[in-house]
Every structure is written in C-alpha cells, then in structure tokens.
Amino acid sequence: MFINRLTANKIDELNNMIKECKKCRLSETRMNAICGEGNLNAKIMLIAQAPGEKEDREGRMFVGPSGKVLDELLNKAGIKRHEIYMTNLIKCMLPKYRRPKQDEIKACSYYLNEEIKLINPKILAPLGYYATRYIFQKYGILLPSKAEFSKVSGKLCLAKDKKILPLPHPATCLYNPDFKQNLIKSYRKLQVLLEDCKWYPVCPMKKFYEEGKLDKKWIELYCKGDWESCIRYHMEERGEPHPDWMLPDGTLDEKLQKEVKYESYNYL
Ligand code: SF4
C-alpha cells in the first residue's frame, strides 16, 4: 500500500511533540502521553476521549479492557484495526477517569487537529460525548447536551468534506453489558459507510443528482453513506413499489414529482 513519506514524517514529528508535551497539568500525572496509531491512509479515524490506566502504563492505544471490547466490535463489523487510524482527544490519562477540563481540551486539541489534517480520513468517528462535542464544535454542528448524546450516537452527519459518525465508547459495555447489542449495531455502521448502496447505479436518486435536481447531501448521507437507514433501500429489498420522487428518508418531494410527470408527458 502506498504511504506518503511526507505524511509519515510529519506524523513522526507530531508524535515526538506529543510524547514530550507539557502544555497542561496532565503531564504531571501521566506515565506516557499516547500517540495515535494505525493506517496513515485510513478512511476512518476513531477518536476516543483519553487513554486509560493500562494505556498510560504501556504507552499504546486501546490495550486495556476497552481495547478488548473495541476489537470485538470491529471484528463483528468486519473491520481490522490496521485498516483504521485511532487517536484520542486528550493524549494523557485523566486522573481517576475524571472529565476533561476545557483548558485541557484547548491545550491538547492542536494534536488532534493536525492528525485530521495529515491523515485526512473521510469518516470521523468520535467515541463518547466529549470527543463528539469537540468534533461537532470544530465542524460547526449544533451541539447536543450530554443527556441528548444518544440522539446523535450512531447517526451520520455531514460537515465540509467529512462524514461524522458519533459512536458510544466501547467502555460503555464494561459498565453495562446490556448495551452490547446496541454497540454492535452502531459499530457495524462503519462497515456500511465503506461501501456504496448496491442499488445506487439504478436508483432514481442517482439520476436526479446527476441532472442537478437533487442536493448532494442525500447522496452523501445515504447512497454513499448510511444506505442501511434509507427507506428506499429497504423497500427495494422487499420488492415494494415506491415512487421515484420518494427521498431516502421516506418523504415525498413535490418538485421531483413534477419533474417525473413532465418527463413522462414529454415521453408520450
Ligand atoms: S436512495 Fe436509497 S436505495 Fe437509492 S441508492 Fe440511495 S441509499 Fe440506495
């Protein structure tokens, strides 16, 4: 696989800065500042909140109990660790797993921003509330409250050239094993996002988009994004008839309807 040498060198330089960083109080309590790891050509970047105790001791990402859960979730989604890039919002362990403070996020986010710039993944998957809050702020997306995190978790959104898929942190399963099935379902979305919808080549949405009659967001969010959430996709799978002017979220678009009527009139 082609790896851009320049990117690799810049990531090395960045990692050296991270290892030496003393920009905030967390440098006094950490054993190791943890650098991002993974594929420099990755399409997907997972962004966790901060390293845990085992990660702090061993100096690697996701080597502790949540790492085991993450491996299982990725495995079930058909994704290998070496295919993705993983990093943290905060590079040093938070004492007693407390919440990150605003000034710590401010001091540390420079590194994450550089990683996003250098790796340039198509899909950002922030894990848990604080990583999601930071990514939403960075890309100007309306911020959910902590209590509302579940409303955005597992739902794809678009920002500039990125697709953002907030996911629950794997550690959620450690505190509450009942959540596991939900997490498996959410992480499977990562695999969905790597493929286009199989119906795309023959879907009227493609035609409308190519003719400039449909906003690109529908294609990015569904046809080349989370096609598993598309109502048209499921109706197609079940062989149920549905109008050409029905949008992927199931709403009927009057403007497209007029286009279809106009085209069939011209055809006659
Ligand atoms: S609109 Fe739905 S069915 Fe059609 S290509 Fe897009 S995702 Fe697939």
Side-chain angles (χ1 to χ4, degrees):
M1 187 190 296
F2 173 75
I3 293 186
N4 184 329
R5 228 349 62 222
L6 194 67
T7 306
N9 289 343
K10 289 200 164 162
I11 284 282
D12 281 349
E13 271 172 37
L14 187 73
N15 287 348
N16 288 335
M17 282 171 73
I18 293 171
K19 285 179 200 154
E20 301 295 320
C21 182
K22 293 200 168 44
K23 286 202 280 183
C24 85
R25 65 181 80 74
L26 296 174
S27 63
E28 292 158 20
T29 45
R30 72 167 186 230
M31 287 172 79
N32 287 294
I34 312 297
C35 306
E37 282 178 24
N39 191 330
L40 301 186
N41 291 320
K43 285 192 181 146
I44 299 175
M45 181 182 277
L46 295 192
I47 305 164
Q49 177 179 296
E53 272 173 16
K54 194 147 189 237
E55 284 81 8
D56 182 47
R57 268 201 312 276
E58 296 192 14
R60 300 281 316 275
M61 279 213 64
F62 277 121
V63 285
S66 13
K68 280 208 179 99
V69 181
L70 177 70
D71 283 338
E72 193 189 337
L73 295 170
L74 291 177
N75 199 12
K76 288 222 166 15
I79 292 177
K80 305 266 175 297
R81 263 201 199 205
H82 68 255
E83 292 171 325
I84 59 174
Y85 194 84
M86 301 179 300
T87 192
N88 281 299
L89 168 63
I90 304 278
K91 310 299 186 199
C92 298
M93 194 182 80
L94 295 155
K96 298 193 179 133
Y97 290 98
R98 68 159 167 78
R99 294 172 188 171
K101 296 187 173 151
Q102 205 44 45
D103 62 335
E104 293 159 353
I105 295 176
K106 199 167 168 219
C108 208
S109 52
Y110 165 79
Y111 302 122
L112 174 60
N113 292 340
E114 285 299 296
E115 287 172 307
I116 294 175
K117 229 190 281 168
L118 292 168
I119 310 285
N120 195 19
K122 281 203 173 95
I123 302 159
L124 298 175
L127 310 183
Y129 177 69
Y130 287 97
T132 301
R133 192 180 74 171
Y134 178 75
I135 291 296
F136 273 30
Q137 268 169 348
K138 176 174 166 67
Y139 288 96
I141 301 172
L142 200 63
L143 211 60
S145 69
K146 200 169 181 195
E148 284 176 334
F149 176 66
S150 62
K151 284 192 189 155
V152 295
S153 177
K155 298 212 174 63
L156 183 65
C157 48
L158 292 180
K160 298 182 189 151
D161 62 334
K162 301 288 179 224
K163 289 181 179 167
I164 300 174
L165 181 72
L167 289 172
H169 195 282
T172 321
C173 283
L174 300 172
Y175 309 124
N176 194 339
D178 292 347
F179 288 162
K180 192 140 180 198
Q181 286 314 314
N182 255 345
L183 262 79
I184 291 174
K185 208 168 142 216
S186 304
Y187 276 70
R188 237 185 59 78
K189 288 260 153 101
L190 291 172
Q191 180 59 17
V192 169
L193 299 187
L194 290 176
E195 297 161 16
D196 292 354
C197 172
K198 69 175 187 188
W199 295 109
Y200 187 57
V202 293
C203 186
M205 295 300 115
K206 177 175 186 276
K207 182 175 153 293
F208 288 135
Y209 168 59
E210 287 173 353
E211 289 169 355
K213 293 168 187 159
L214 185 74
D215 194 301
K216 191 177 180 191
K217 77 167 189 201
W218 293 106
I219 306 298
E220 292 296 323
L221 277 175
Y222 292 92
C223 317
K224 292 175 181 284
D226 183 8
W227 44 264
E228 229 183 28
S229 296
C230 174
I231 307 284
R232 294 190 66 96
Y233 168 82
H234 290 286
M235 294 181 85
E236 207 60 63
E237 289 290 288
R238 294 191 295 263
E240 285 172 15
H242 45 284
D244 282 2
W245 54 92
M246 189 177 95
L247 294 169
D249 68 354
T251 54
L252 296 173
D253 186 306
E254 280 177 22
K255 265 199 337 232
L256 292 180
Q257 183 176 12
K258 277 187 198 141
E259 292 287 345
V260 173
K261 282 200 174 142
Y262 179 71
E263 273 173 27
S264 26
Y265 176 76
N266 275 352
Y267 183 71
L268 290 172

